[in-house]
Amino acid sequence: YTLFNLFFTVAVTEKATTCDDSDNIQHLSCDNGVISVQSALYGRADRQICSEGKSPQQLANTQCSQDGAVDIIKNRCDGKRVCEFNTGDVRSSDPCVGIAKYLETNYTCLPANRLVTCEHSNSHLYCDYGQVIFVYGADYGRRDRTTCSYRRPASQTENVYCSNPTNIVAQTCNGKNSCTIRAHNSVFGDPCTGTFKYLEVAYTCECE
Ligand SMILES: *[C@@H]1O[C@H](CO)[C@@H](O)[C@H](O)[C@H]1NC(C)=O
């Protein structure tokens, strides 16, 4: 996948830094393409970042990081155009009590098409003549409250922790010029019963 590798090399890395004072919001976004989270730090690795108003003791530990922070953010954000979450959503336990922490996320914007299909509907991926689909990522579940929420009761949209990355779309569609796949439990299984789900797909078109 030469072209895909090229995307990686030309992609510019964006950095988002959010101080963990109260539950502050981190905002990741791509003007073009979709988010691909590269690395993340929740803790402290630097004395200067988010040091305003802090005592020396609160900045004393610069080797503090919570394991797994990058996976949490990847689950929430990869493949989206915009992604917002609280620092509290990333914190699973306090990696260094008494230290002022921050969240730093490095991400790139991959120039991929993004397709969202609500549960029960068909998802149709297609490329121009002479090009074939390469699926960068797919997720069948729910990662926010607003997508596919029209006329749905709150009980079906409030579980936003139903991220379920799947390679079924890649297996079905890679290498084809167009491809239709149903956003349905019969295809993907049911990762969260009672939640109205949707299929998110990020894909590129490559020359055959
Ligand atoms: C983000 O990238 C910068 C520049 O390469 C690097 O200094 C920093 O350590 C990275 N942050 C994380 C959380 O990996």
Side-chain angles (χ1 to χ4, degrees), residues 19 30 51 57 73 84-85 125 137 202:
C19 306
C30 290
S51 61
Q57 292 94 314
I73 302 169
E84 285 187 337
F85 50 91
L125 291 66

Side-chain angles (χ1 to χ4, degrees), residues 13 15 39-41 104-106:
T13 301
K15 187 165 83 170
S39 59
L41 171 93
E104 183 177 282
T105 303
N106 285 341

Side-chain angles (χ1 to χ4, degrees), residues 73-87:
I73 302 169
K74 274 182 149 314
N75 271 341
R76 288 188 81 106
C77 301
D78 272 3
K80 289 185 175 181
R81 272 196 205 297
V82 179
C83 184
E84 285 187 337
F85 50 91
N86 291 322
T87 49

